């Protein structure tokens, strides 16, 4: 158990740092190179981290404004809904 505690601490600090490298609104997307469908999915998955980072940095947003339009929106909302448990393909039978 003592060996797992430092590893858990390192992972819990390292994962948000790694995920924050692709946060929307950081200036990497332009009109000539907008964010597409898969970036929408990614930004939907890391939306909670983007929200927290946006509190501390003014230019960070949850949603990338330089995007391809409908395709980005579709990917973003799919990730938001499925990431928070909204899509369930299998339901448990409650037999009491």
């Amino acid at each position: 158990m003592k060996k797992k505690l430092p590893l858990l601490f390192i992972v819990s600090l390292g994962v948000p740092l790694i995920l924050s490298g692709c946060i929307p609104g950081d200036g990497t997307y332009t009109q000539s190179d907008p964010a597409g469908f898969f970036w929408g999915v990614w930004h939907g998955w890391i939306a909670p981290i983007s929200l927290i980072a946006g509190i501390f940095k003014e230019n960070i947003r949850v949603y990338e404004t330089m995007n391809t339009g409908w395709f980005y929106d579709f990917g973003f909302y799919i990730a938001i809904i499925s990431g928070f448990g909204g899509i369930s393909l299998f339901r448990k039978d409650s037999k009491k």
Side-chain angles (χ1 to χ4, degrees):
M1 181 68 180
K2 289 185 179 186
K3 290 181 182 180
K4 291 183 181 180
L5 191 59
L7 180 63
L8 181 65
F9 181 73
I10 291 170
V11 169
S12 66
L13 289 178
V15 169
L17 288 174
I18 291 170
L19 291 178
S20 67
C22 301
I23 285 183
D26 62 354
T28 57
Y29 305 105
T30 62
Q31 287 289 351
S32 61
D33 186 29
F37 172 78
F38 293 110
W39 281 113
V41 171
W42 178 251
H43 291 158
W45 281 337
I46 64 169
I49 296 170
S50 301
L51 182 65
I52 293 169
I55 294 170
F56 300 106
K57 289 190 81 173
E58 189 173 310
N59 65 335
I60 300 297
R61 301 286 181 247
V62 174
Y63 183 83
E64 179 60 54
T65 56
M66 298 291 179
N67 61 52
T68 56
W70 188 86
F71 295 112
Y72 177 86
D73 294 342
F74 184 63
F76 185 82
Y77 291 122
I78 283 177
I80 289 288
I81 291 169
S82 66
F84 298 116
I87 296 175
S88 178
L89 300 177
F90 302 101
R91 299 205 182 254
K92 291 184 179 181
D93 292 334
S94 60
K95 296 179 183 179
K96 291 184 179 183

